[in-house]
PDB file of all heavy atoms in Angstrom:
ATOM      1  N   ILE A   1     162.468 149.673  38.038  1.00  0.00           N
ATOM      2  CA  ILE A   1     161.443 149.025  37.211  1.00  0.00           C
ATOM      3  C   ILE A   1     160.035 149.305  37.742  1.00  0.00           C
ATOM      4  O   ILE A   1     159.209 149.878  37.020  1.00  0.00           O
ATOM      5  CB  ILE A   1     161.715 147.515  37.086  1.00  0.00           C
ATOM      6  CG1 ILE A   1     163.046 147.275  36.365  1.00  0.00           C
ATOM      7  CG2 ILE A   1     160.581 146.833  36.321  1.00  0.00           C
ATOM      8  CD1 ILE A   1     163.489 145.829  36.329  1.00  0.00           C
ATOM      9  N   PRO A   2     159.706 148.947  38.992  1.00  0.00           N
ATOM     10  CA  PRO A   2     158.353 149.263  39.469  1.00  0.00           C
ATOM     11  C   PRO A   2     158.131 150.748  39.698  1.00  0.00           C
ATOM     12  O   PRO A   2     157.030 151.257  39.467  1.00  0.00           O
ATOM     13  CB  PRO A   2     158.250 148.474  40.783  1.00  0.00           C
ATOM     14  CG  PRO A   2     159.657 148.286  41.237  1.00  0.00           C
ATOM     15  CD  PRO A   2     160.469 148.157  39.988  1.00  0.00           C
ATOM     16  N   VAL A   3     159.171 151.464  40.137  1.00  0.00           N
ATOM     17  CA  VAL A   3     159.011 152.886  40.447  1.00  0.00           C
ATOM     18  C   VAL A   3     158.701 153.693  39.192  1.00  0.00           C
ATOM     19  O   VAL A   3     157.746 154.478  39.146  1.00  0.00           O
ATOM     20  CB  VAL A   3     160.291 153.433  41.119  1.00  0.00           C
ATOM     21  CG1 VAL A   3     160.237 154.960  41.199  1.00  0.00           C
ATOM     22  CG2 VAL A   3     160.445 152.850  42.516  1.00  0.00           C
ATOM     23  N   MET A   4     159.499 153.495  38.148  1.00  0.00           N
ATOM     24  CA  MET A   4     159.324 154.279  36.935  1.00  0.00           C
ATOM     25  C   MET A   4     158.087 153.846  36.163  1.00  0.00           C
ATOM     26  O   MET A   4     157.417 154.660  35.526  1.00  0.00           O
ATOM     27  CB  MET A   4     160.580 154.191  36.082  1.00  0.00           C
ATOM     28  CG  MET A   4     161.769 154.910  36.735  1.00  0.00           C
ATOM     29  SD  MET A   4     163.388 154.436  36.079  1.00  0.00           S
ATOM     30  CE  MET A   4     163.236 154.932  34.385  1.00  0.00           C
ATOM     31  N   PHE A   5     157.774 152.551  36.209  1.00  0.00           N
ATOM     32  CA  PHE A   5     156.545 152.092  35.575  1.00  0.00           C
ATOM     33  C   PHE A   5     155.338 152.715  36.269  1.00  0.00           C
ATOM     34  O   PHE A   5     154.397 153.194  35.608  1.00  0.00           O
ATOM     35  CB  PHE A   5     156.451 150.571  35.629  1.00  0.00           C
ATOM     36  CG  PHE A   5     155.198 150.030  34.996  1.00  0.00           C
ATOM     37  CD1 PHE A   5     155.116 149.884  33.618  1.00  0.00           C
ATOM     38  CD2 PHE A   5     154.106 149.690  35.783  1.00  0.00           C
ATOM     39  CE1 PHE A   5     153.946 149.398  33.024  1.00  0.00           C
ATOM     40  CE2 PHE A   5     152.935 149.211  35.201  1.00  0.00           C
ATOM     41  CZ  PHE A   5     152.863 149.062  33.820  1.00  0.00           C
ATOM     42  N   GLY A   6     155.353 152.721  37.598  1.00  0.00           N
ATOM     43  CA  GLY A   6     154.248 153.315  38.351  1.00  0.00           C
ATOM     44  C   GLY A   6     154.113 154.804  38.101  1.00  0.00           C
ATOM     45  O   GLY A   6     153.003 155.314  37.928  1.00  0.00           O
ATOM     46  N   ALA A   7     155.250 155.516  38.082  1.00  0.00           N
ATOM     47  CA  ALA A   7     155.217 156.965  37.838  1.00  0.00           C
ATOM     48  C   ALA A   7     154.685 157.270  36.445  1.00  0.00           C
ATOM     49  O   ALA A   7     153.898 158.210  36.249  1.00  0.00           O
ATOM     50  CB  ALA A   7     156.614 157.548  38.011  1.00  0.00           C
ATOM     51  N   SER A   8     155.100 156.477  35.458  1.00  0.00           N
ATOM     52  CA  SER A   8     154.643 156.677  34.079  1.00  0.00           C
ATOM     53  C   SER A   8     153.148 156.425  33.968  1.00  0.00           C
ATOM     54  O   SER A   8     152.416 157.189  33.324  1.00  0.00           O
ATOM     55  CB  SER A   8     155.408 155.746  33.127  1.00  0.00           C
ATOM     56  OG  SER A   8     156.793 156.030  33.157  1.00  0.00           O
ATOM     57  N   LEU A   9     152.688 155.349  34.599  1.00  0.00           N
ATOM     58  CA  LEU A   9     151.264 155.022  34.556  1.00  0.00           C
ATOM     59  C   LEU A   9     150.437 156.123  35.213  1.00  0.00           C
ATOM     60  O   LEU A   9     149.377 156.517  34.691  1.00  0.00           O
ATOM     61  CB  LEU A   9     151.016 153.689  35.265  1.00  0.00           C
ATOM     62  CG  LEU A   9     149.573 153.176  35.276  1.00  0.00           C
ATOM     63  CD1 LEU A   9     149.088 152.943  33.847  1.00  0.00           C
ATOM     64  CD2 LEU A   9     149.465 151.896  36.094  1.00  0.00           C
ATOM     65  N   LEU A  10     150.939 156.657  36.328  1.00  0.00           N
ATOM     66  CA  LEU A  10     150.229 157.721  37.037  1.00  0.00           C
ATOM     67  C   LEU A  10     150.103 158.974  36.167  1.00  0.00           C
ATOM     68  O   LEU A  10     149.038 159.602  36.097  1.00  0.00           O
ATOM     69  CB  LEU A  10     150.963 158.059  38.342  1.00  0.00           C
ATOM     70  CG  LEU A  10     150.339 159.116  39.256  1.00  0.00           C
ATOM     71  CD1 LEU A  10     148.969 158.661  39.739  1.00  0.00           C
ATOM     72  CD2 LEU A  10     151.255 159.413  40.443  1.00  0.00           C
ATOM     73  N   LYS A  11     151.182 159.329  35.472  1.00  0.00           N
ATOM     74  CA  LYS A  11     151.158 160.506  34.599  1.00  0.00           C
ATOM     75  C   LYS A  11     150.207 160.314  33.422  1.00  0.00           C
ATOM     76  O   LYS A  11     149.495 161.241  33.029  1.00  0.00           O
ATOM     77  CB  LYS A  11     152.570 160.795  34.091  1.00  0.00           C
ATOM     78  CG  LYS A  11     153.516 161.360  35.131  1.00  0.00           C
ATOM     79  CD  LYS A  11     153.101 162.758  35.558  1.00  0.00           C
ATOM     80  CE  LYS A  11     154.108 163.349  36.533  1.00  0.00           C
ATOM     81  NZ  LYS A  11     153.719 164.711  36.982  1.00  0.00           N
ATOM     82  N   ILE A  12     150.219 159.108  32.837  1.00  0.00           N
ATOM     83  CA  ILE A  12     149.334 158.840  31.697  1.00  0.00           C
ATOM     84  C   ILE A  12     147.875 158.918  32.130  1.00  0.00           C
ATOM     85  O   ILE A  12     147.027 159.496  31.431  1.00  0.00           O
ATOM     86  CB  ILE A  12     149.642 157.458  31.084  1.00  0.00           C
ATOM     87  CG1 ILE A  12     151.009 157.480  30.387  1.00  0.00           C
ATOM     88  CG2 ILE A  12     148.562 157.067  30.077  1.00  0.00           C
ATOM     89  CD1 ILE A  12     151.422 156.139  29.812  1.00  0.00           C
ATOM     90  N   VAL A  13     147.554 158.353  33.286  1.00  0.00           N
ATOM     91  CA  VAL A  13     146.182 158.380  33.794  1.00  0.00           C
ATOM     92  C   VAL A  13     145.736 159.819  34.029  1.00  0.00           C
ATOM     93  O   VAL A  13     144.611 160.212  33.683  1.00  0.00           O
ATOM     94  CB  VAL A  13     146.064 157.553  35.083  1.00  0.00           C
ATOM     95  CG1 VAL A  13     144.710 157.779  35.750  1.00  0.00           C
ATOM     96  CG2 VAL A  13     146.250 156.073  34.780  1.00  0.00           C
ATOM     97  N   LYS A  14     146.617 160.635  34.618  1.00  0.00           N
ATOM     98  CA  LYS A  14     146.271 162.028  34.884  1.00  0.00           C
ATOM     99  C   LYS A  14     146.131 162.828  33.593  1.00  0.00           C
ATOM    100  O   LYS A  14     145.282 163.711  33.483  1.00  0.00           O
ATOM    101  CB  LYS A  14     147.323 162.674  35.792  1.00  0.00           C
ATOM    102  CG  LYS A  14     147.275 162.181  37.229  1.00  0.00           C
ATOM    103  CD  LYS A  14     148.273 162.924  38.099  1.00  0.00           C
ATOM    104  CE  LYS A  14     148.151 162.484  39.552  1.00  0.00           C
ATOM    105  NZ  LYS A  14     149.098 163.212  40.436  1.00  0.00           N
ATOM    106  N   PHE A  15     146.973 162.530  32.606  1.00  0.00           N
ATOM    107  CA  PHE A  15     146.922 163.242  31.328  1.00  0.00           C
ATOM    108  C   PHE A  15     145.713 162.802  30.516  1.00  0.00           C
ATOM    109  O   PHE A  15     145.082 163.596  29.822  1.00  0.00           O
ATOM    110  CB  PHE A  15     148.205 162.974  30.526  1.00  0.00           C
ATOM    111  CG  PHE A  15     148.245 163.658  29.189  1.00  0.00           C
ATOM    112  CD1 PHE A  15     148.616 164.996  29.081  1.00  0.00           C
ATOM    113  CD2 PHE A  15     147.917 162.967  28.028  1.00  0.00           C
ATOM    114  CE1 PHE A  15     148.661 165.627  27.846  1.00  0.00           C
ATOM    115  CE2 PHE A  15     147.960 163.584  26.786  1.00  0.00           C
ATOM    116  CZ  PHE A  15     148.327 164.918  26.694  1.00  0.00           C
ATOM    117  N   GLY A  16     145.372 161.528  30.632  1.00  0.00           N
ATOM    118  CA  GLY A  16     144.296 160.965  29.819  1.00  0.00           C
ATOM    119  C   GLY A  16     144.886 160.189  28.653  1.00  0.00           C
ATOM    120  O   GLY A  16     146.054 160.355  28.310  1.00  0.00           O
ATOM    121  N   PHE A  17     144.074 159.367  28.033  1.00  0.00           N
ATOM    122  CA  PHE A  17     144.567 158.514  26.952  1.00  0.00           C
ATOM    123  C   PHE A  17     144.216 159.066  25.573  1.00  0.00           C
ATOM    124  O   PHE A  17     144.283 158.354  24.582  1.00  0.00           O
ATOM    125  CB  PHE A  17     143.996 157.101  27.118  1.00  0.00           C
ATOM    126  CG  PHE A  17     144.528 156.383  28.328  1.00  0.00           C
ATOM    127  CD1 PHE A  17     143.899 156.503  29.554  1.00  0.00           C
ATOM    128  CD2 PHE A  17     145.684 155.608  28.240  1.00  0.00           C
ATOM    129  CE1 PHE A  17     144.388 155.847  30.679  1.00  0.00           C
ATOM    130  CE2 PHE A  17     146.180 154.950  29.353  1.00  0.00           C
ATOM    131  CZ  PHE A  17     145.540 155.072  30.575  1.00  0.00           C
ATOM    132  N   GLU A  18     143.842 160.331  25.518  1.00  0.00           N
ATOM    133  CA  GLU A  18     143.501 160.958  24.247  1.00  0.00           C
ATOM    134  C   GLU A  18     144.702 161.763  23.748  1.00  0.00           C
ATOM    135  O   GLU A  18     144.944 162.885  24.193  1.00  0.00           O
ATOM    136  CB  GLU A  18     142.276 161.849  24.397  1.00  0.00           C
ATOM    137  CG  GLU A  18     141.016 161.087  24.777  1.00  0.00           C
ATOM    138  CD  GLU A  18     139.800 161.993  24.876  1.00  0.00           C
ATOM    139  OE1 GLU A  18     139.954 163.210  24.604  1.00  0.00           O
ATOM    140  OE2 GLU A  18     138.724 161.496  25.218  1.00  0.00           O
ATOM    141  N   PHE A  19     145.463 161.173  22.843  1.00  0.00           N
ATOM    142  CA  PHE A  19     146.627 161.824  22.267  1.00  0.00           C
ATOM    143  C   PHE A  19     146.326 162.270  20.845  1.00  0.00           C
ATOM    144  O   PHE A  19     145.585 161.598  20.115  1.00  0.00           O
ATOM    145  CB  PHE A  19     147.827 160.862  22.217  1.00  0.00           C
ATOM    146  CG  PHE A  19     148.258 160.335  23.556  1.00  0.00           C
ATOM    147  CD1 PHE A  19     147.815 159.104  24.008  1.00  0.00           C
ATOM    148  CD2 PHE A  19     149.105 161.077  24.357  1.00  0.00           C
ATOM    149  CE1 PHE A  19     148.211 158.610  25.236  1.00  0.00           C
ATOM    150  CE2 PHE A  19     149.510 160.590  25.584  1.00  0.00           C
ATOM    151  CZ  PHE A  19     149.059 159.355  26.031  1.00  0.00           C
ATOM    152  N   THR A  20     146.919 163.375  20.448  1.00  0.00           N
ATOM    153  CA  THR A  20     146.913 163.704  19.032  1.00  0.00           C
ATOM    154  C   THR A  20     147.910 162.767  18.343  1.00  0.00           C
ATOM    155  O   THR A  20     148.760 162.146  19.006  1.00  0.00           O
ATOM    156  CB  THR A  20     147.313 165.160  18.777  1.00  0.00           C
ATOM    157  OG1 THR A  20     148.691 165.340  19.179  1.00  0.00           O
ATOM    158  CG2 THR A  20     146.435 166.120  19.577  1.00  0.00           C
ATOM    159  N   SER A  21     147.825 162.663  17.033  1.00  0.00           N
ATOM    160  CA  SER A  21     148.758 161.781  16.315  1.00  0.00           C
ATOM    161  C   SER A  21     150.192 162.233  16.524  1.00  0.00           C
ATOM    162  O   SER A  21     151.103 161.402  16.649  1.00  0.00           O
ATOM    163  CB  SER A  21     148.415 161.760  14.823  1.00  0.00           C
ATOM    164  OG  SER A  21     148.465 163.067  14.274  1.00  0.00           O
ATOM    165  N   LEU A  22     150.425 163.541  16.579  1.00  0.00           N
ATOM    166  CA  LEU A  22     151.786 164.044  16.796  1.00  0.00           C
ATOM    167  C   LEU A  22     152.263 163.707  18.202  1.00  0.00           C
ATOM    168  O   LEU A  22     153.411 163.277  18.386  1.00  0.00           O
ATOM    169  CB  LEU A  22     151.844 165.552  16.573  1.00  0.00           C
ATOM    170  CG  LEU A  22     153.212 166.204  16.841  1.00  0.00           C
ATOM    171  CD1 LEU A  22     154.293 165.605  15.946  1.00  0.00           C
ATOM    172  CD2 LEU A  22     153.140 167.723  16.652  1.00  0.00           C
ATOM    173  N   GLU A  23     151.407 163.898  19.198  1.00  0.00           N
ATOM    174  CA  GLU A  23     151.802 163.586  20.572  1.00  0.00           C
ATOM    175  C   GLU A  23     152.177 162.119  20.711  1.00  0.00           C
ATOM    176  O   GLU A  23     153.181 161.782  21.368  1.00  0.00           O
ATOM    177  CB  GLU A  23     150.659 163.930  21.531  1.00  0.00           C
ATOM    178  CG  GLU A  23     150.454 165.421  21.733  1.00  0.00           C
ATOM    179  CD  GLU A  23     149.240 165.748  22.578  1.00  0.00           C
ATOM    180  OE1 GLU A  23     148.361 164.866  22.717  1.00  0.00           O
ATOM    181  OE2 GLU A  23     149.168 166.873  23.108  1.00  0.00           O
ATOM    182  N   LEU A  24     151.391 161.231  20.119  1.00  0.00           N
ATOM    183  CA  LEU A  24     151.691 159.810  20.202  1.00  0.00           C
ATOM    184  C   LEU A  24     153.004 159.486  19.489  1.00  0.00           C
ATOM    185  O   LEU A  24     153.810 158.688  19.990  1.00  0.00           O
ATOM    186  CB  LEU A  24     150.549 159.001  19.573  1.00  0.00           C
ATOM    187  CG  LEU A  24     150.633 157.475  19.728  1.00  0.00           C
ATOM    188  CD1 LEU A  24     150.691 157.082  21.196  1.00  0.00           C
ATOM    189  CD2 LEU A  24     149.458 156.798  19.038  1.00  0.00           C
ATOM    190  N   THR A  25     153.243 160.119  18.357  1.00  0.00           N
ATOM    191  CA  THR A  25     154.497 159.910  17.620  1.00  0.00           C
ATOM    192  C   THR A  25     155.691 160.380  18.440  1.00  0.00           C
ATOM    193  O   THR A  25     156.723 159.692  18.516  1.00  0.00           O
ATOM    194  CB  THR A  25     154.467 160.665  16.280  1.00  0.00           C
ATOM    195  OG1 THR A  25     153.377 160.190  15.488  1.00  0.00           O
ATOM    196  CG2 THR A  25     155.771 160.475  15.513  1.00  0.00           C
ATOM    197  N   LEU A  26     155.563 161.532  19.076  1.00  0.00           N
ATOM    198  CA  LEU A  26     156.654 162.075  19.899  1.00  0.00           C
ATOM    199  C   LEU A  26     156.923 161.161  21.089  1.00  0.00           C
ATOM    200  O   LEU A  26     158.084 160.910  21.446  1.00  0.00           O
ATOM    201  CB  LEU A  26     156.301 163.477  20.388  1.00  0.00           C
ATOM    202  CG  LEU A  26     156.136 164.567  19.321  1.00  0.00           C
ATOM    203  CD1 LEU A  26     155.727 165.885  19.965  1.00  0.00           C
ATOM    204  CD2 LEU A  26     157.421 164.742  18.525  1.00  0.00           C
ATOM    205  N   LEU A  27     155.862 160.659  21.698  1.00  0.00           N
ATOM    206  CA  LEU A  27     156.008 159.795  22.871  1.00  0.00           C
ATOM    207  C   LEU A  27     156.708 158.492  22.506  1.00  0.00           C
ATOM    208  O   LEU A  27     157.628 158.045  23.213  1.00  0.00           O
ATOM    209  CB  LEU A  27     154.627 159.511  23.457  1.00  0.00           C
ATOM    210  CG  LEU A  27     154.571 158.958  24.881  1.00  0.00           C
ATOM    211  CD1 LEU A  27     155.239 159.908  25.862  1.00  0.00           C
ATOM    212  CD2 LEU A  27     153.120 158.710  25.280  1.00  0.00           C
ATOM    213  N   ILE A  28     156.296 157.881  21.406  1.00  0.00           N
ATOM    214  CA  ILE A  28     156.913 156.632  20.975  1.00  0.00           C
ATOM    215  C   ILE A  28     158.366 156.861  20.583  1.00  0.00           C
ATOM    216  O   ILE A  28     159.258 156.071  20.947  1.00  0.00           O
ATOM    217  CB  ILE A  28     156.128 156.024  19.796  1.00  0.00           C
ATOM    218  CG1 ILE A  28     154.740 155.568  20.266  1.00  0.00           C
ATOM    219  CG2 ILE A  28     156.894 154.849  19.181  1.00  0.00           C
ATOM    220  CD1 ILE A  28     153.832 155.114  19.148  1.00  0.00           C
ATOM    221  N   THR A  29     158.629 157.940  19.865  1.00  0.00           N
ATOM    222  CA  THR A  29     160.001 158.248  19.434  1.00  0.00           C
ATOM    223  C   THR A  29     160.924 158.443  20.628  1.00  0.00           C
ATOM    224  O   THR A  29     162.006 157.848  20.703  1.00  0.00           O
ATOM    225  CB  THR A  29     160.017 159.520  18.565  1.00  0.00           C
ATOM    226  OG1 THR A  29     159.200 159.319  17.410  1.00  0.00           O
ATOM    227  CG2 THR A  29     161.435 159.859  18.129  1.00  0.00           C
ATOM    228  N   GLY A  30     160.501 159.269  21.583  1.00  0.00           N
ATOM    229  CA  GLY A  30     161.324 159.516  22.767  1.00  0.00           C
ATOM    230  C   GLY A  30     161.571 158.261  23.567  1.00  0.00           C
ATOM    231  O   GLY A  30     162.679 158.030  24.073  1.00  0.00           O
ATOM    232  N   THR A  31     160.567 157.391  23.677  1.00  0.00           N
ATOM    233  CA  THR A  31     160.690 156.151  24.440  1.00  0.00           C
ATOM    234  C   THR A  31     161.662 155.180  23.782  1.00  0.00           C
ATOM    235  O   THR A  31     162.513 154.577  24.452  1.00  0.00           O
ATOM    236  CB  THR A  31     159.310 155.487  24.595  1.00  0.00           C
ATOM    237  OG1 THR A  31     158.415 156.391  25.258  1.00  0.00           O
ATOM    238  CG2 THR A  31     159.416 154.206  25.407  1.00  0.00           C
ATOM    239  N   VAL A  32     161.544 155.022  22.467  1.00  0.00           N
ATOM    240  CA  VAL A  32     162.428 154.099  21.738  1.00  0.00           C
ATOM    241  C   VAL A  32     163.875 154.578  21.803  1.00  0.00           C
ATOM    242  O   VAL A  32     164.794 153.785  22.053  1.00  0.00           O
ATOM    243  CB  VAL A  32     161.971 153.959  20.268  1.00  0.00           C
ATOM    244  CG1 VAL A  32     163.008 153.201  19.458  1.00  0.00           C
ATOM    245  CG2 VAL A  32     160.623 153.260  20.194  1.00  0.00           C
ATOM    246  N   VAL A  33     164.089 155.866  21.604  1.00  0.00           N
ATOM    247  CA  VAL A  33     165.454 156.404  21.659  1.00  0.00           C
ATOM    248  C   VAL A  33     166.022 156.254  23.063  1.00  0.00           C
ATOM    249  O   VAL A  33     167.196 155.890  23.237  1.00  0.00           O
ATOM    250  CB  VAL A  33     165.467 157.887  21.230  1.00  0.00           C
ATOM    251  CG1 VAL A  33     166.843 158.500  21.460  1.00  0.00           C
ATOM    252  CG2 VAL A  33     165.077 158.018  19.758  1.00  0.00           C
ATOM    253  N   SER A  34     165.196 156.519  24.072  1.00  0.00           N
ATOM    254  CA  SER A  34     165.631 156.358  25.463  1.00  0.00           C
ATOM    255  C   SER A  34     166.073 154.929  25.730  1.00  0.00           C
ATOM    256  O   SER A  34     167.070 154.688  26.425  1.00  0.00           O
ATOM    257  CB  SER A  34     164.488 156.748  26.404  1.00  0.00           C
ATOM    258  OG  SER A  34     164.805 156.448  27.743  1.00  0.00           O
TER     259      SER A  34
END
């Protein structure tokens, strides 16, 4: 729980919070299915 949350937050910060609409859709889809 803390490890994966921290790793995810670190990747998002490094990537930035500017997603295209497709990127955001893909991210939400993959997360929900997971």
